[in-house]
Amino acid sequence: MPELIGIAKMAAQSGLLEAKSQVEYFEIGARSILNRTKPNMPFEWTINPYRGCEFGCQYCYARYTHEFMGMEDGRDFESKIYAKAAAPEILRRELRKIDRADGIAIGTATDPYQPAERRFERTRAILEVFAQEKGRRLSITTKSDLVTRDIDLLREWPAAMSWP
């Protein structure tokens, strides 16, 4: 077997956070939280607090991303969930480097309110950073009603942020 490098090596070395009957949760280091989009998108940056998604939608275009971590079994995308470590700290640092007018979309490759969020609250921590920011264009894509848990932060948006 070839030596693992990059994200595959990081995934293999990640510590197990929790394991359920069908899903295992890991914490993975992150060099960056903001991901630059391709031209012609309605936003310039994306944030995905997790790698993998428990919802396991068969139509999801992001299912292949676990292959970058050396996982060829397509079921790994929904059964091995990686929570990104130090997301708020990294996000604060990165936000200082981008234009305030740039649009940021949360949940473009994985659902930010998937079941893992109930336990690990990475999305909430990210929203807390944005609640302190002024004038950011932010959107969230989710199919989960867990988003209502963060209604206190979302109510602050009209004053602190603008909508796309």
Side-chain angles (χ1 to χ4, degrees):
M1 181 172 215
E3 182 180 344
L4 299 176
I5 60 171
I7 190 77
K9 183 176 181 179
M10 290 174 66
Q13 295 172 344
S14 295
L16 180 66
L17 289 175
E18 180 179 338
K20 290 185 175 181
S21 61
Q22 304 252 341
V23 179
E24 294 177 301
Y25 303 100
F26 301 88
E27 184 167 61
I28 192 167
R31 289 180 235 149
S32 180
I33 295 299
L34 290 172
N35 305 295
R36 180 64 110 159
T37 62
K38 294 180 180 178
N40 301 319
M41 295 293 288
F43 42 83
E44 288 74 23
W45 302 93
T46 66
I47 296 175
N48 292 291
Y50 301 94
R51 288 188 71 101
C53 187
E54 289 176 77
F55 290 143
C57 302
Q58 294 304 308
Y59 57 80
C60 181
Y61 74 92
R63 295 182 70 78
Y64 75 94
T65 60
H66 267 39
E67 292 176 16
F68 297 128
M69 298 189 299
M71 297 178 206
E72 301 298 324
D73 185 340
R75 294 171 293 187
D76 287 341
F77 182 77
E78 60 206 53
S79 64
K80 295 183 186 311
I81 308 302
Y82 292 81
K84 293 183 181 176
E89 295 82 8
I90 296 168
L91 178 60
R92 279 188 202 94
R93 181 183 71 231
E94 292 182 322
L95 286 175
R96 288 192 291 262
K97 299 176 185 176
I98 69 167
D99 190 326
R100 289 192 157 288
D102 285 357
I104 302 169
I106 300 175
T108 56
T110 62
D111 195 308
Y113 285 101
Q114 62 180 287
E117 175 63 14
R118 291 187 193 283
R119 179 111 166 108
F120 305 113
E121 297 188 347
R122 302 302 158 96
T123 302
R124 181 166 179 86
I126 287 167
L127 290 178
E128 287 171 346
V129 171
F130 281 112
Q132 298 169 1
E133 289 282 319
K134 302 291 183 217
R136 296 280 182 187
R137 287 190 318 119
L138 189 64
S139 64
I140 298 174
T141 302
T142 184
K143 60 170 50 176
S144 174
D145 62 357
L146 181 57
V147 67
T148 61
R149 177 203 63 192
D150 294 337
I151 200 78
D152 60 319
L153 293 170
L154 299 174
R155 281 192 175 129
E156 294 180 33
W157 276 16
M161 296 167 216
S162 61
W163 296 95

